[in-house]
Amino acid sequence: MHLKRTFDFSSFTVMICTPSEFACGLMSDMCRAMRFKAVISKLDFVAAWDTFKTNPIDIMFGDVVAEDGYRLLKEVRTAEISPNPHIPYIATALAVSSSCIARARDTGATEFLRFPLSAERLIERIVHVVDHPRAFVKAAGYTGPDRRRKHAPIQGDDRRRRTSGAPDASDNLGQRGKADS
């Protein structure tokens, strides 16, 4: 991927939660090199949840290899006390199977990032969630970003309800990150 413009992440706070010290350190160093306003690293999912509840976070990375990772993602999306259920949440994992990716998606992940990773793949995912925010869906059995990648015309009546605070095409998180087009 070759970016055609530069990005200014100096107003963004990112949180990384993974039980792997190596992965946490690597991702934190990469985000610091991208000059995020703040990079918060947590090795423990409970500590990540506590930090998320008390700090304004713009983008979140969470490991979904362990059951606690899915629990954290579900809490972020559905807990009554979640301060930002619409946050771009990029699920990460080393051991990846199609069922792992599907479960992360079905639990509410915005994107998925597989290890081993490169700086290019990391920035690619960050730029994607910033530039292409997805509408938020709250339905029986699912709360999270719209999982559809293609927007086909709706046949029949559009019965979807919009939730307040959900991003749409006019509410682009990326407006803060664009330095030049």
Side-chain angles (χ1 to χ4, degrees):
M1 174 180 151
H2 296 288
L3 299 174
K4 296 183 189 225
R5 65 178 192 269
T6 59
F7 288 83
D8 177 7
F9 294 118
S10 64
S11 65
F12 289 85
T13 297
V14 64
M15 182 160 74
I16 300 157
C17 179
T18 176
S20 165
E21 285 186 48
F22 177 76
C24 198
L26 180 65
M27 289 180 67
S28 296
D29 289 346
M30 288 179 178
C31 288
R32 283 188 192 92
M34 287 184 251
R35 299 205 166 117
F36 276 86
K37 173 180 155 184
V39 178
I40 301 170
S41 303
K42 297 294 176 186
L43 298 171
D44 174 83
F45 296 105
V46 173
W49 173 243
D50 290 341
T51 301
F52 176 71
K53 290 186 300 187
T54 58
N55 292 277
I57 310 287
D58 297 300
I59 300 171
M60 192 167 181
F61 289 90
D63 191 292
V64 292
V65 172
E67 194 61 37
D68 286 346
Y70 291 106
R71 193 171 306 121
L72 175 62
L73 173 54
K74 187 171 179 123
E75 287 294 306
V76 165
R77 292 291 186 231
T78 63
E80 289 288 325
I81 59 171
S82 179
N84 185 3
H86 305 115
I87 188 171
Y89 194 109
I90 302 172
T92 62
L94 174 61
V96 179
S97 64
S98 58
S99 62
C100 176
I101 293 170
R103 184 173 179 202
R105 179 200 63 215
D106 293 344
T107 306
T110 309
E111 287 293 329
F112 197 92
L113 182 62
R114 178 179 42 195
F115 287 99
L117 67 95
S118 65
E120 182 179 29
R121 284 186 39 216
L122 179 65
I123 196 166
E124 196 175 75
R125 287 295 188 270
I126 293 169
V127 167
H128 185 77
V129 299
V130 168
D131 269 357
H132 305 287
R134 302 205 335 241
F136 199 79
V137 175
K138 193 168 188 175
Y142 178 74
T143 301
D146 190 343
R147 295 178 282 196
R148 294 173 296 171
R149 299 267 180 190
K150 297 177 185 174
H151 294 284
I154 296 170
Q155 297 180 5
D157 293 334
D158 183 353
R159 298 184 319 268
R160 296 173 294 178
R161 289 179 295 200
R162 307 288 183 223
T163 59
S164 63
D168 61 24
S170 64
D171 181 22
N172 192 344
L173 177 67
Q175 295 305 316
R176 285 191 302 167
K178 293 178 183 171
D180 58 49
S181 297

